[in-house]
Amino acid sequence: MALLKQTPLTIARSNAKSRILLFTLFLFAFSLLFALFSLTRNPYSDPYPYPTPNAKPETSFVASIERFLAQTSQRFRDDTVTSLTEDGVVRKFDDVASKIERQRVYEDSYYPLSLPIRVYVYEMPRKFTYDLLWLFRNTYKDTSNLTSNGSPVHRLIEQHSIDYWLWADLIVPESERLLKNVVRVRRQEEADLFYIPFFTTISFFLLEKQECKALYREALKWVTDQPAWKRSEGRDHILPVHHPWSFKSVRRYVKNAIWLLPDMDSTGNWYKPGQVSLEKDLILPYVPNVDFCDVKCVSESESKRSTLLFFRGRLKRNAGGKIRAKLVAELSSAEGVVIEEGTAGEVGKAAAQNGMRRSIFCLNPAGDTPSSARLFDAIVSGCIPVIVSDELELPFEGILDYRKIALFVSSSDATQPGYLLKFLRGISPAQIREMRRNLVQYSRHFLYSSPAQPLGPEDLVWRMVCTACFCNQIVGFSIIFYSICIEMKPFK
């Protein structure tokens, strides 16, 4: 059969079919990537092969530190990096790291979800790490050590101790770790990210002001002298600054790093403009102050929850916490509502725990910052949080659906006479039971522990990091395909 002569019309149709086929393949590939990406967003559909935990995890900060110091401080060593200030060292490091990156992309079957995140943990001098842990360990029983507003210093350190929990998990032998979506590497050139294990909160609260500032400056110089920092200007470095006062005097020099924060504080009272953003930083939950109320505890407390709405804490706060005064004035004399001024120490902790376990709902207004540790106390107590904080960014949003465990009320609605109580009394008993069951299930995401547990907060940190990396991969993939498509112009 004779070949048909190709006319401009047939060529145009052929090109059009090719473009349609290419676009269809692109949509299929993108859908596949999106499906795989969704696996990382659902913590109950777990793609990572975790081993089964053998022992009960330790969730007490003090008990965990005691064991940690006894086991690890003897095998400590400092990093030694010579001639850090020489440009040649940085260029050499950059050459090696770039070569490894090219091998991963072009020579290996590299895919961002198929390999764990590789983290290099700096082994900083003892004064930035172990010495500060020992300082806490030797002084935490000092009950007279209070902040200016009467809060126990060591309780605040425990609330913001995320720097300890992440570091403790990363540096133990790999055979003892349960998390497999992140591994520690021993060579800086092989790392995706760099973890800075400086205890910024302990140093802030337990050192004299000038001593603390001097230590901050030393830590800043040590970190920024590293070749890996110089190469990226800190953009691939993780820095825990979970208390809004910590590392404050030198923050402007590390604003490119990935900060681990309690919230974004969009009021501008704690972080300067341009220092924090959802594009680069991660929000981590506070460490709960109260004991975990497990399935048995929640079941046994069901019939005892006679209080409709409970709040215990400081009734007057600054900045974003001014909403508290309005809520107190509105709710104090209402039936079924318990509002108490918080007290320090074990007595205050016991009162808060008992109150939450006897209540259906727990009020969570903003504190000095949009977030408050009280939210996570309520979650692990089986008390449904009622969040009144218009500017709040929650930990692990995009992975966890907070609508299943909490109620959200705007500040303007909550302060209207009668609105909040009418709203809460309208929640059906069936919905309350379902939300309480969800609280028991979700509590695991807010309980720091040693060893770190699958689906615990340490695990979700690395899932969030992986999700961010994968989003960048998808955006880059889409741009490449878009560029190809617009190059394939119709035949004229």
Side-chain angles (χ1 to χ4, degrees):
M1 181 183 294
L3 293 175
L4 294 175
K5 182 179 180 181
Q6 287 190 324
T7 65
L9 179 60
T10 59
I11 293 175
R13 287 175 176 172
S14 177
N15 287 340
K17 290 179 179 179
S18 298
R19 289 195 298 273
I20 293 172
L21 178 60
L22 182 60
F23 185 69
T24 302
L25 290 173
F26 164 66
L27 289 179
F28 174 76
F30 188 84
S31 300
L32 180 61
L33 290 173
F34 183 79
L36 291 170
F37 169 59
S38 299
L39 290 176
T40 66
R41 296 171 60 86
N42 182 2
Y44 301 106
S45 178
D46 194 353
Y48 298 107
Y50 289 112
T52 302
N54 295 322
K56 183 179 179 180
E58 179 58 70
T59 59
S60 165
F61 179 59
V62 171
S64 179
I65 278 184
E66 292 278 4
R67 185 174 64 184
F68 175 82
L69 290 174
Q71 292 177 348
T72 62
S73 61
Q74 296 302 317
R75 59 175 184 259
F76 172 82
R77 67 176 180 84
D78 289 357
D79 267 351
T80 54
V81 183
T82 58
S83 303
L84 292 176
T85 58
E86 296 179 7
D87 292 339
V89 174
V90 179
R91 286 198 300 270
K92 182 177 180 181
F93 174 82
D94 182 66
D95 291 342
V96 175
S98 298
K99 180 180 179 181
I100 292 176
E101 288 173 358
R102 288 194 299 271
Q103 289 174 341
R104 291 182 66 193
V105 173
Y106 296 111
E107 298 178 19
D108 298 337
S109 299
Y110 171 67
Y111 187 70
L113 295 184
S114 64
L115 292 175
I117 296 173
R118 301 171 305 177
V119 177
Y120 183 87
V121 183
Y122 284 123
E123 296 188 21
M124 301 179 73
R126 290 187 65 98
K127 58 185 173 183
F128 302 119
T129 56
Y130 287 101
D131 287 354
L132 292 172
L133 285 183
W134 277 108
L135 179 62
F136 175 87
R137 185 262 183 197
N138 293 333
T139 60
Y140 75 87
K141 294 181 181 179
D142 180 5
T143 57
S144 64
N145 195 356
L146 305 176
T147 64
S148 58
N149 63 14
S151 301
V153 163
H154 292 84
R155 180 65 57 79
L156 284 174
I157 291 173
E158 291 183 47
Q159 287 180 14
H160 298 280
S161 60
I162 57 95
D163 42 15
Y164 164 75
W165 296 106
L166 286 170
W167 184 56
D169 174 63
L170 286 170
I171 69 171
V172 297
E174 196 64 31
S175 60
E176 299 176 18
R177 298 183 65 247
L178 300 177
L179 305 188
K180 300 303 179 185
N181 59 342
V182 56
V183 296
R184 180 188 183 187
V185 295
R186 299 290 179 172
R187 296 175 58 199
Q188 293 190 16
E189 303 93 311
E190 298 176 346
D192 299 311
L193 296 168
F194 297 81
Y195 185 81
I196 304 170
F198 178 40
F199 290 100
T200 58
T201 301
I202 293 179
S203 52
F204 175 81
F205 280 111
L206 296 186
L207 298 179
E208 294 295 332
K209 185 175 182 180
Q210 295 306 316
E211 184 184 5
C212 177
K213 286 187 174 182
L215 192 66
Y216 281 174
R217 290 192 296 270
E218 287 186 60
L220 174 69
K221 185 179 188 311
W222 192 96
V223 171
T224 55
D225 274 348
Q226 299 298 315
W229 180 281
K230 291 177 179 293
R231 180 179 187 245
S232 67
E233 296 184 337
R235 290 180 176 84
D236 51 5
H237 283 58
I238 296 177
L239 176 66
V241 283
H242 200 259
H243 192 280
W245 296 340
S246 61
F247 221 50
K248 197 170 184 178
S249 59
V250 296
R251 283 179 187 166
R252 62 187 181 275
Y253 302 110
V254 293
K255 63 182 180 180
N256 290 335
I258 302 166
W259 291 8
L260 305 182
L261 303 165
D263 56 46
M264 285 287 112
D265 181 33
S266 55
T267 63
N269 292 296
W270 304 105
Y271 307 110
K272 300 296 183 183
Q275 288 185 349
V276 298
S277 71
L278 288 173
E279 286 72 24
K280 75 176 183 69
D281 302 319
L282 293 179
I283 300 171
L284 272 64
Y286 292 68
V287 177
N289 278 325
V290 300
D291 299 329
F292 172 44
C293 189
D294 58 15
V295 176
K296 180 182 178 182
C297 168
V298 168
S299 177
E300 292 175 347
S301 66
E302 190 86 29
S303 60
K304 302 175 183 177
R305 295 184 183 268
S306 56
T307 302
L308 176 67
L309 181 64
F310 176 79
F311 174 84
R312 181 180 176 84
R314 296 189 64 83
L315 302 183
K316 295 181 179 180
R317 303 300 282 179
N318 300 317
K322 293 179 180 178
I323 186 67
R324 287 192 189 183
K326 297 180 180 180
L327 291 172
V328 169
E330 167 65 22
L331 299 170
S332 288
S333 59
E335 182 181 356
V337 177
V338 174
I339 294 182
E340 302 173 342
E341 179 73 34
T343 54
E346 291 301 316
V347 174
K349 173 183 175 180
Q353 180 169 295
N354 292 335
M356 288 183 173
R357 292 187 181 188
R358 293 178 179 273
S359 304
I360 300 171
F361 300 104
C362 283
L363 183 63
N364 290 274
D368 286 342
T369 62
S371 66
S372 169
R374 190 169 295 99
L375 169 61
F376 308 102
D377 291 348
I379 290 174
V380 302
S381 298
C383 186
I384 300 170
V386 180
I387 298 174
V388 184
S389 182
D390 298 335
E391 305 295 333
L392 181 62
E393 297 286 347
L394 293 164
F396 315 132
E397 284 193 67
I399 292 181
L400 304 181
D401 185 355
Y402 282 89
R403 295 170 299 179
K404 293 183 177 181
I405 61 171
L407 301 172
F408 295 85
V409 183
S410 68
S411 298
S412 57
D413 286 341
T415 52
Q416 289 181 17
Y419 176 88
L420 187 58
L421 294 183
K422 181 179 179 181
F423 170 70
L424 295 179
R425 288 174 177 142
I427 306 297
S428 68
Q431 185 178 353
I432 290 173
R433 287 193 296 271
E434 181 182 1
M435 294 186 77
R436 195 172 292 136
R437 285 194 298 269
N438 291 338
L439 282 172
V440 176
Q441 187 180 28
Y442 272 56
S443 288
R444 71 169 80 174
H445 307 313
F446 307 102
L447 291 172
Y448 295 89
S449 63
S450 178
Q453 300 294 295
L455 302 181
E458 302 94 334
D459 187 13
L460 294 193
V461 167
W462 303 114
R463 290 171 182 257
M464 290 291 289
V465 171
C466 185
T467 298
C469 293
F470 187 50
C471 283
N472 291 335
Q473 292 282 341
I474 288 181
V475 170
F477 184 70
S478 302
I479 291 173
I480 291 172
F481 255 87
Y482 177 74
S483 300
I484 293 174
C485 289
I486 63 174
E487 285 296 325
M488 297 178 61
K489 299 176 181 178
F491 178 84
K492 293 182 179 180

